Amino acid sequence: MPASSIYGDLHLENCRTLSLRFENGRLEKMAEQEERQSCLRGLLDREGATFLVHISDWNPIRLSHLARKEMACLGVSPHSKRRKRKPSTISIGQRRFFEHPAHDPLGHHDADEKVGLLSLLDKRIRGLGGPAIVQVILTYRETDLDVAQFTTEGVFVREKKSLVTLGVYILAESNGLRQSGYEAIGGVGGWEILRHKNPVKMAETVSRRVL
């Protein structure tokens, strides 16, 4: 951060996702990935001049290098003598930590169990609709998110949460008439979200709606 800047903050984020797509009785797609990103931004003067650099990892050397290049493009020296405060001298005064607890963490259930749930829903839907069911698409997505932010004003904020979503799409045909239905459940938390909201009952409701 240039010494002459008025304000700056550092944003760090780690995000892990698992996505499943179960279509017409079989698993069509399973993708799991983990991404990290960091972002440094600053307000350079009271006229509103700003800079922003972003990288897809947590490498502080790389982030600092890009910040220096960005400031050079803006004609700003990182060693301006207007203010001599260095980032290393900033003390953290305000700390805020938000954690949304998962009573039954998603990581305690392996991918086979999650695929098994989708398979169970598919069989239940086809058992109710029989030959009238033309297409069934079931989707599952979970996300573990960890975000932290530091500011030059001495504020540190961190938030950790898990999100889960399960969706049901059904296409049915009877007497030449096609109808489709979709519904999803989800929320912030762990496996207990699905257990409490009863995905089997949701699948049955959508099935009856289109039949």
Side-chain angles (χ1 to χ4, degrees):
M1 190 72 64
S4 61
S5 61
I6 296 174
Y7 171 84
D9 59 49
L10 172 65
H11 175 93
L12 302 174
E13 181 176 310
N14 186 82
C15 180
R16 184 197 67 84
T17 60
L18 171 66
S19 299
L20 305 174
R21 180 185 175 92
F22 199 92
E23 184 173 353
N24 293 331
R26 66 178 184 176
L27 182 65
E28 290 286 344
K29 177 184 178 182
M30 180 168 66
E32 186 170 17
Q33 61 181 8
E34 186 167 358
E35 296 180 342
R36 285 185 172 184
Q37 60 177 326
S38 51
C39 174
L40 182 66
R41 63 179 180 174
L43 178 62
L44 299 175
D45 55 43
R46 299 192 182 280
E47 283 68 46
T50 61
F51 77 92
L52 172 71
V53 291
H54 172 270
I55 59 174
S56 56
D57 57 44
W58 286 1
N59 189 323
I61 296 176
R62 183 164 171 246
L63 187 66
S64 176
H65 176 69
L66 288 176
R68 290 173 185 273
K69 290 180 65 175
E70 175 72 9
M71 288 183 286
C73 292
L74 295 172
V76 178
S77 170
H79 305 296
S80 170
K81 296 181 180 180
R82 256 173 54 191
R83 294 177 69 191
K84 296 183 179 181
R85 185 182 67 183
K86 298 180 180 179
S88 59
T89 65
I90 297 173
S91 61
I92 302 299
Q94 300 180 44
R95 297 178 175 85
R96 301 173 110 185
F97 183 38
F98 303 96
E99 184 168 15
H100 307 271
H103 301 292
D104 188 2
L106 299 170
H108 291 180
H109 302 264
D110 60 24
D112 288 341
E113 182 177 357
K114 293 158 188 173
V115 173
L117 173 60
L118 300 184
S119 177
L120 173 66
L121 297 179
D122 181 84
K123 292 176 181 177
R124 181 57 179 158
I125 292 167
R126 295 182 184 282
L128 288 172
I133 300 297
V134 176
Q135 186 180 39
V136 177
I137 300 176
L138 304 163
T139 57
Y140 172 90
R141 181 179 177 88
E142 66 181 43
T143 303
D144 290 321
L145 189 62
D146 189 353
V147 179
Q149 188 163 7
F150 304 82
T151 78
T152 53
E153 295 178 339
V155 177
F156 168 59
V157 179
R158 185 180 181 185
E159 182 177 20
K160 295 180 69 176
K161 61 183 177 182
S162 296
L163 305 97
V164 60
T165 306
L166 189 149
V168 174
Y169 170 83
I170 304 173
L171 177 64
E173 181 175 3
S174 180
N175 299 321
L177 177 64
R178 285 196 168 192
Q179 295 192 80
S180 63
Y182 175 81
E183 194 163 330
I185 56 176
V188 177
W191 194 255
E192 72 276 1
I193 297 292
L194 301 183
R195 188 166 56 247
H196 293 164
K197 295 190 177 183
N198 198 336
V200 174
K201 184 177 180 180
M202 177 188 68
E204 292 173 349
T205 299
V206 180
S207 298
R208 295 189 179 98
R209 190 183 303 156
V210 301
L211 294 173

